[in-house]
Amino acid sequence: METSPRRQPTLDEVAARAGVSRTAASRVINNVPHVSAAKRAAVERAVRELGYVPNPTARALATRRAGSVVLAVSSEEPGLFADPFFAEVTVGVSSFLDRTDLELVLLLADTPRGKERLRRILSSHRTDGLMLMAVRGDDPLGRLAEETDLPVVFGGLPMTGTPRWYVDADNRGGARLAVEHLVRDGRRNLAMITGQVDLQAAVAREQGFREALLLTGLTPAGVAPGGFTQAGGEAAMERLLADRPDIDGVFAANDDMALGALRALRRHGRRVPEDVAVVGFDDLASALYADPPLTTVHQPVRALGLELARMLAAVIEGQDPSPLVLPTRLTVRESAPPVSG
Amino acid sequence: METSPRRQPTLDEVAARAGVSRTAASRVINNVPHVSAAKRAAVERAVRELGYVPNPTARALATRRAGSVVLAVSSEEPGLFADPFFAEVTVGVSSFLDRTDLELVLLLADTPRGKERLRRILSSHRTDGLMLMAVRGDDPLGRLAEETDLPVVFGGLPMTGTPRWYVDADNRGGARLAVEHLVRDGRRNLAMITGQVDLQAAVAREQGFREALLLTGLTPAGVAPGGFTQAGGEAAMERLLADRPDIDGVFAANDDMALGALRALRRHGRRVPEDVAVVGFDDLASALYADPPLTTVHQPVRALGLELARMLAAVIEGQDPSPLVLPTRLTVRESAPPVSG
DNA sequence: CTGGCAATTGGAAGCGCTTCCAGCTTTCGC
DNA sequence: GCGAAAGCTGGAAGCGCTTCCAATTGCCAG
């Protein structure tokens, strides 16, 4: 049984033990040619015997590559990351990085200090690249991120313009799917519960809603903001009902608000879907838990994270990948059932 | 308007500009004494003018401190991190680290490569410390983590023994609360839906369940494993009902399984809570969404993350903090309403 | 004024690794 | 067999920062 050494062995010790130069040892470690098979074997043996693990910090300093990327969630509300959406994105990001040698640094920039950190990251080369999410309209980070020479890939579009690299879901198209489904079901008095106006995704979903209605010649029976929260959705539904009791279909810009709407509808004695059909957006776990289970626009959240990481890796390697808009589709459940016949 | 320089300014350039030695400049940057006020001011000015940001990699190499900690989730199922539980923990961890200068590296060790990475982290000093979560019974990482000289703090106990540093929730106590609540409500035929037997938290919750029953002189009406998933909980409930149709109270080791149980009960025409009362464990968002809203054992997940990070930071600073067991409490909702009178 | 002590100062030696470069050894076509 | 192309090799120069240590300076009591 070998006692683990107090101090990590260094490349020099490996080289000494293998009887080669440090240069040769380094070449073996990094799988670079120009090393004879004999020396290669000797080094590999020494590595094994010593339990050598390269020091990533030293390597980073010498290569000027950090070996890590940052996933930053810039938000005003502390704990936004607790939203399952981000957890799912993170899983996707991680699943891609797993194949690479990049580490994932998570930065929840929801405090002044956090924002300051993010700013420093943009101006120091402490990392190889940045994935930036949840940038709101008035967030100066959007612009800053454009100016740096650090590779930055956006998850979801910022409102400040179209960045060079981003991955987004087809929010507008998804919203249209929702409306079309409701209309096909014979619903004519459609209302929408929207999210924050300073989030591009919320705006796009509202646009899609309005577009689709226009296309079918209908007018919105109401549009109320719900702030992307369950409570907000509930309150919005209250207002909509008060204004137009004849609403027979509701599209909420996310599932949480749809759940709130369900609650409000139930309290008002409206049956779902008989009296009012409800469609959400996201298709995360809660949509399935809902009563009745929620028909909702599915966006491929995990894939979004994976593509985000893939794109960033490509940019880091000097490529110039095209932006990506992932398709959304409708997951039909009971809150707005399939149109029979 | 200053054009951002292609290359980051270095400490040498700052020193040169300020007309001092590099040593002095370093002292100013690090707020170390032994620098005259005049030089200090000069350096600070140069820093400002050059937009100097220290290179963390170089600093790490020189100080032999990485400036980062790793939060690792070791699991067999890819995507376990998508469970809102971990997102919540992460928010807590991040909220503590926000006050420090430590970066958060996230490692989702749910693949062979991921596990290998984790192993390397344990044996290389690429990071200053590790928070380890979701270690299962047969996971060799538990033992490995004990042997390294890297500071390791456990989130939740591993099954392989009691580590020196950990933060856990009072799972046993929480389970007892659940049982006591049900018994006080007059329920006599209590069943439990358990989680994986190789997760300490699941075991502790089952222990608490059995203990509490013993204390009240009752015998379990059934115990069925549900694998911590909604579908598993549903199936478990089916089996329990088939075996003992007279069950009038169910305790599920987490909320997801409780939701599954609700579904099964509904299908079998059992009213909740009139016929059967249901209590879950976790008190995450889904408990609130449930129909009826779920009475559940609340564990302070975010606080757990925060304390995890705080403890690790303490260990890194050379202290020897005591393990921490955070209290759980019952959140009473409709699936097992308060006992009137 | 002067000795002595404390506070400042900066040169230099690393931290552990990569990589340029110049010198050597093989190998092979002819 | 010979010259040159094609690999090997390892010395040495960094990557940008911290910190030990010896030397210098400043200050005050005697």
Side-chain angles (χ1 to χ4, degrees):
Chain A
M1 195 187 95
E2 253 184 298
T3 329
S4 76
R6 267 288 135 251
R7 212 174 53 79
Q8 287 295 310
T10 73
L11 188 56
D12 276 313
E13 297 172 44
V14 171
R17 176 156 195 143
V20 304
S21 72
R22 187 194 344 180
T23 308
S26 172
R27 291 206 179 97
V28 173
I29 304 289
N30 294 299
N31 234 341
V32 167
H34 305 304
V35 182
S36 67
K39 296 211 176 208
R40 191 170 290 274
V43 171
E44 275 163 359
R45 177 147 164 265
V47 164
R48 217 174 311 117
E49 291 172 349
L50 260 41
Y52 170 76
V53 176
N55 179 321
T57 306
R59 194 201 296 254
L61 184 59
T63 59
R64 299 141 150 288
R65 274 168 148 269
S68 70
V69 293
V70 173
L71 172 61
V73 179
S74 176
S75 78
E76 310 313 312
E77 21 173 348
L80 173 64
F81 184 80
D83 187 321
F85 176 85
F86 293 104
E88 198 71 42
V89 170
T90 306
V91 169
V93 166
S94 167
S95 74
F96 179 83
L97 295 181
D98 186 64
R99 315 172 198 166
T100 72
D101 284 317
L102 292 166
E103 307 249 85
L104 175 58
V105 174
L106 192 62
L107 181 54
L108 273 36
D110 50 16
T111 65
R113 289 204 57 167
K115 299 250 180 209
E116 177 54 30
R117 264 195 205 199
L118 188 43
R119 220 165 286 127
R120 283 176 88 99
I121 282 178
L122 285 173
S123 65
S124 85
H125 273 174
R126 77 193 309 147
T127 190
D128 294 329
L130 174 64
M131 293 168 277
L132 192 50
M133 302 205 60
V135 175
R136 301 204 324 182
D138 55 351
D139 197 328
L141 284 168
R143 193 148 290 131
L144 277 177
E146 294 280 16
E147 286 168 6
T148 179
D149 54 346
L150 185 78
V152 177
V153 174
F154 282 78
L157 284 167
M159 302 216 52
T160 42
T162 307
R164 182 154 170 200
W165 298 296
Y166 65 88
V167 180
D168 201 0
D170 183 7
N171 289 302
R172 249 159 93 165
R176 280 203 295 256
L177 290 178
V179 172
E180 286 161 12
H181 181 76
L182 289 168
V183 170
R184 210 177 304 124
D185 190 32
R187 315 285 171 164
R188 289 297 173 269
N189 299 319
L190 302 187
M192 172 164 183
I193 304 178
T194 59
Q196 279 97 337
V197 288
D198 55 358
L199 273 178
Q200 205 277 340
V203 173
R205 290 170 198 176
E206 184 174 344
Q207 284 180 346
F209 173 78
R210 293 189 187 276
E211 273 172 27
L213 277 186
L214 262 179
L215 249 55
T216 56
L218 295 171
T219 1
V223 173
F228 273 144
T229 69
Q230 195 180 175
E234 194 168 346
M237 190 72 245
E238 293 282 355
R239 272 174 278 137
L240 289 170
L241 280 177
D243 202 38
R244 287 281 299 267
D246 60 336
I247 284 172
D248 58 6
V250 177
F251 169 50
N254 77 351
D255 288 343
D256 273 0
M257 295 193 297
L259 293 182
L262 288 181
R263 189 161 293 203
L265 287 167
R266 189 180 315 145
R267 191 171 43 244
H268 282 264
R270 303 291 210 286
R271 290 167 307 164
V272 175
E274 294 82 351
D275 303 328
V276 182
V278 175
V279 178
F281 204 115
D282 278 351
D283 199 14
L284 294 169
S286 57
L288 196 56
Y289 296 157
D291 173 46
L294 202 61
T295 291
T296 184
V297 179
H298 175 92
Q299 57 172 334
V301 184
R302 198 172 290 194
L304 194 150
L306 193 145
E307 297 301 338
L308 201 55
R310 190 207 301 281
M311 187 173 289
L312 180 56
V315 176
I316 289 174
E317 285 184 359
Q319 304 169 35
D320 183 10
S322 304
L324 206 56
V325 177
L326 299 175
T328 46
R329 60 182 172 71
L330 199 67
T331 298
V332 178
R333 299 204 185 85
E334 297 165 35
S335 73
V339 183
S340 49
Chain B
M1 192 186 98
E2 250 184 298
T3 329
S4 76
R6 268 286 135 252
R7 213 175 53 79
Q8 287 295 310
T10 73
L11 189 56
D12 275 315
E13 297 171 44
V14 170
R17 175 154 195 147
V20 305
S21 71
R22 187 197 341 185
T23 308
S26 172
R27 291 207 179 96
V28 173
I29 303 290
N30 295 298
N31 233 338
V32 167
H34 304 304
V35 182
S36 66
K39 298 212 173 201
R40 191 169 290 275
V43 171
E44 277 162 358
R45 178 148 163 263
V47 164
R48 215 173 313 116
E49 291 172 350
L50 259 42
Y52 171 75
V53 177
N55 179 320
T57 306
R59 192 200 298 252
L61 185 59
T63 58
R64 299 143 151 288
R65 275 168 148 267
S68 70
V69 292
V70 173
L71 172 61
V73 179
S74 176
S75 78
E76 311 311 313
E77 21 173 348
L80 174 65
F81 184 80
D83 187 321
F85 176 84
F86 293 105
E88 199 71 42
V89 170
T90 305
V91 169
V93 166
S94 166
S95 74
F96 179 84
L97 294 181
D98 187 65
R99 314 172 198 164
T100 72
D101 284 317
L102 292 167
E103 307 249 86
L104 174 58
V105 174
L106 193 63
L107 181 55
L108 273 36
D110 49 17
T111 66
R113 289 203 58 166
K115 299 252 180 206
E116 177 54 31
R117 263 194 207 201
L118 187 44
R119 220 165 289 126
R120 284 174 88 98
I121 282 178
L122 284 173
S123 65
S124 83
H125 272 174
R126 77 194 307 147
T127 190
D128 294 330
L130 174 64
M131 293 168 277
L132 192 51
M133 301 205 61
V135 176
R136 301 203 324 182
D138 54 352
D139 197 329
L141 283 168
R143 193 149 290 129
L144 277 177
E146 293 279 15
E147 285 168 6
T148 180
D149 54 344
L150 185 79
V152 176
V153 175
F154 281 79
L157 283 168
M159 302 218 51
T160 43
T162 306
R164 182 153 169 202
W165 298 296
Y166 65 87
V167 181
D168 201 0
D170 183 7
N171 289 302
R172 249 157 94 163
R176 280 203 295 255
L177 289 177
V179 171
E180 286 162 12
H181 181 75
L182 290 168
V183 170
R184 209 177 304 123
D185 190 31
R187 315 284 170 165
R188 288 298 174 268
N189 301 318
L190 301 188
M192 172 162 182
I193 304 178
T194 59
Q196 278 97 337
V197 287
D198 55 357
L199 274 179
Q200 205 276 340
V203 172
R205 288 170 199 178
E206 183 175 345
Q207 284 181 347
F209 173 77
R210 294 188 187 276
E211 274 173 26
L213 277 185
L214 262 179
L215 249 56
T216 55
L218 294 171
T219 2
V223 173
F228 274 146
T229 69
Q230 195 181 171
E234 194 169 345
M237 191 71 244
E238 293 281 356
R239 272 174 277 138
L240 290 171
L241 279 177
D243 202 39
R244 285 283 299 268
D246 60 335
I247 284 172
D248 59 6
V250 177
F251 169 51
N254 77 350
D255 288 344
D256 272 1
M257 295 193 297
L259 294 182
L262 287 182
R263 188 161 293 203
L265 288 167
R266 190 180 314 144
R267 190 170 45 243
H268 282 264
R270 303 290 209 285
R271 291 168 306 164
V272 175
E274 293 82 352
D275 304 327
V276 182
V278 176
V279 178
F281 203 115
D282 278 352
D283 200 14
L284 295 170
S286 56
L288 195 56
Y289 297 157
D291 173 47
L294 202 60
T295 291
T296 186
V297 179
H298 176 93
Q299 56 171 337
V301 185
R302 199 173 290 194
L304 194 149
L306 194 145
E307 296 301 338
L308 201 56
R310 190 206 303 280
M311 188 173 288
L312 180 56
V315 176
I316 289 173
E317 285 184 0
Q319 303 170 35
D320 184 11
S322 304
L324 207 56
V325 176
L326 300 175
T328 45
R329 60 180 173 71
L330 199 67
T331 299
V332 178
R333 299 204 184 86
E334 295 163 37
S335 74
V339 184
S340 50

